[in-house]
Amino acid sequence: MKYNLLGKSAVRVSEVGFGCMSLGRDPAAATALLHRALEAGITLFDTADLYQHGENEALVGKAFKGMRQQVVLATKVGNQWRPDGSGWDWNPSKGYLLQAVDHSLRRLQTDYIDLYQLHGGTLDDPLDEAIEAFERLVEQGKIRQYGISSIRPSVIREYVRRSHMATVMMQYSLLDRRPEESCLALLHEHRISVLARGSYAQGLLAGKPAKEYLNYSEAQVRQAAALVVEVAGTSRSPAEVAVDFVLREPVVASAVVGIRTAVQLSAALQAARRLPLSAADLQALRQLLPPNAYEQHR
C-alpha cells in the first residue's frame, strides 16, 4: 500500500481509502471488515454525522477503540437532522459546526478528528464563518485538518482563496472527468489534496450493466466499460484500471471506495496492489470519450 500526505499537512493516508457510508448495521460483521481493511494497510476511514443518524460514526468509533493511533478518521458535518427525524437541513453556521464536532467526537470515541469536512456548500453560505469555525477547532486540537466535500468549482475556488483547507473530496472517474477542467490544476497549484469518490462510477466501470450516466449515453458507457475490460486484460481487474486512472492525477491523495462486503474489500485491496497503466493505455482511456464539464456552479 502506498501512502500520501494530505495537502501541506503531516497527515498521511493510504492511497485507497475505506468509504464507510454503506457499512451494514451488524456491528460484528462491520467491525470484522474494518479490522481486515486496517490489517491489509488501509488507514483512511471516511464517515459522516449524516450517515444513519450518526450510527455510522458510532460503529466506526467502537470498531477502532484502542487502535486510534493506527487510523486516520475523516468525518463530515453540515447536515443537521430535524428533531422529529423527518430529514435534515443544511446548516454551515459557525455555531452549529462548533457544536456538532463534540457529538462526532463522542460517537467516534476520540478526542480529535484527523480530517473534518464540510459536507457540501454553496456560495450563499456564510463561508468566512464556517472557515473561522474550522480554524478554531484546529487551534483547540479537536481536529487536525479540515476540508470540504464539493463538486462545485465556484465554491471550491472561494475556499482555496479564503481558507487553509487540506482537502477537497469530489467525484472523479473515467466517466466523470469534470474536475479536470479547472479544479484539479487549481488544487494542485495550492497543494490541496483531492479525495476521489465514485472511482467505479456506480459500478459501471466494474462490471455492472451499462446505463446512462451524467451526459453519457448507455452506448457510450458500454463503450467505456468495454475498453476498461480490454485494458485490464488478464493481469488486472476492471476495478484496478478504474482506480489507477484516478490515482494517476498527482493531486489525488486517495481513492475513497465505498465498501460494504468482503468481496468489495478484496476488490479495493487488489486495486491498491494494481499494476500501473501504461502511457498508451492511459491515452486510450482518455481519448475514448469527450471529457464532460460542469454545467452549473462554474
Side-chain angles (χ1 to χ4, degrees), residues 127-143:
L127 271 66
D128 291 329
E129 226 186 87
I131 292 167
E132 285 175 15
F134 285 124
E135 293 287 351
R136 180 181 295 184
L137 292 175
V138 171
E139 291 172 5
Q140 293 174 341
K142 292 183 177 181
I143 67 174

Side-chain angles (χ1 to χ4, degrees), residues 105-118:
L105 288 168
R106 175 179 51 79
R107 287 189 291 262
L108 289 166
Q109 299 191 44
T110 182
D111 52 10
Y112 69 94
I113 293 165
D114 295 290
L115 180 64
Y116 204 37
Q117 304 159 96
L118 191 65

Side-chain angles (χ1 to χ4, degrees), residues 7-292:
K8 299 185 282 284
S9 78
V11 179
R12 191 178 299 274
V13 299
S14 53
E15 69 170 3
V16 173
F18 194 124
C20 300
M21 181 178 72
S22 299
L23 275 175
R25 299 194 182 191
D26 178 346
T31 298
L33 205 61
L34 291 166
H35 287 179
R36 182 182 162 197
L38 179 61
E39 289 165 3
I42 292 178
T43 59
L44 174 61
F45 297 86
D46 178 75
T47 180
D49 60 5
L50 179 67
Y51 304 158
Q52 294 100 47
H53 290 259
E55 290 180 19
N56 196 267
E57 282 184 327
L59 191 157
V60 172
K62 186 175 182 181
F64 291 128
K65 187 175 182 180
M67 307 177 186
R68 184 64 184 92
Q69 301 304 316
Q70 301 177 50
V71 298
V72 176
L73 295 180
T75 192
K76 309 181 198 76
V77 65
N79 295 294
Q80 183 176 17
W81 281 101
R82 296 174 193 140
D84 62 3
S86 63
W88 62 86
D89 299 301
W90 179 240
N91 188 352
S93 68
K94 181 177 179 179
Y96 178 66
L97 300 185
L98 294 175
Q99 172 192 20
V101 69
D102 291 327
H103 298 296
S104 287
L105 288 168
R106 175 179 51 79
R107 287 189 291 262
L108 289 166
Q109 299 191 44
T110 182
D111 52 10
Y112 69 94
I113 293 165
D114 295 290
L115 180 64
Y116 204 37
Q117 304 159 96
L118 191 65
H119 204 171
T122 74
L123 290 180
D124 294 327
D125 294 344
L127 271 66
D128 291 329
E129 226 186 87
I131 292 167
E132 285 175 15
F134 285 124
E135 293 287 351
R136 180 181 295 184
L137 292 175
V138 171
E139 291 172 5
Q140 293 174 341
K142 292 183 177 181
I143 67 174
R144 295 177 69 190
Q145 299 294 329
Y146 66 91
I148 61 173
S149 177
S150 178
I151 61 171
R152 300 181 174 191
S154 56
V155 173
I156 291 169
R157 280 195 299 271
E158 286 304 307
Y159 273 91
V160 168
R161 186 171 69 86
R162 304 188 199 190
S163 79
H164 297 98
M165 68 178 177
T167 62
V168 175
M169 175 173 275
M170 60 173 62
Q171 184 168 292
Y172 180 47
S173 73
L174 177 62
L175 289 174
D176 187 356
R177 294 172 60 191
R178 295 175 295 177
E180 292 178 5
E181 185 183 11
S182 62
C183 295
L184 296 187
L186 174 69
L187 295 172
H188 186 57
E189 176 189 351
H190 289 270
R191 296 175 62 192
I192 297 168
S193 293
V194 168
L195 302 179
R197 60 178 178 83
S199 304
Y200 300 155
Q202 298 180 355
L204 298 173
L205 297 173
K208 285 193 175 180
K211 65 176 183 178
E212 291 183 1
Y213 187 78
L214 298 178
N215 62 310
Y216 294 127
S217 67
E218 181 179 326
Q220 287 176 309
V221 170
R222 187 177 295 109
Q223 189 179 8
L227 181 57
V228 167
V229 170
E230 180 183 334
V231 167
T234 58
S235 58
R236 304 183 189 92
S237 68
E240 289 177 70
V241 174
V243 167
D244 197 56
F245 179 87
V246 166
L247 288 172
R248 279 306 184 92
E249 288 289 340
V251 71
V252 178
S254 185
V256 180
V257 179
I259 298 172
R260 183 176 51 85
T261 67
V263 171
Q264 291 171 342
L265 175 58
S266 294
L269 293 174
Q270 188 176 347
R273 299 187 295 266
R274 69 201 178 281
L275 290 173
L277 296 168
S278 68
D281 286 338
L282 193 60
Q283 183 178 20
L285 291 167
R286 288 188 173 281
Q287 291 181 345
L288 179 66
L289 298 175
N292 34 24

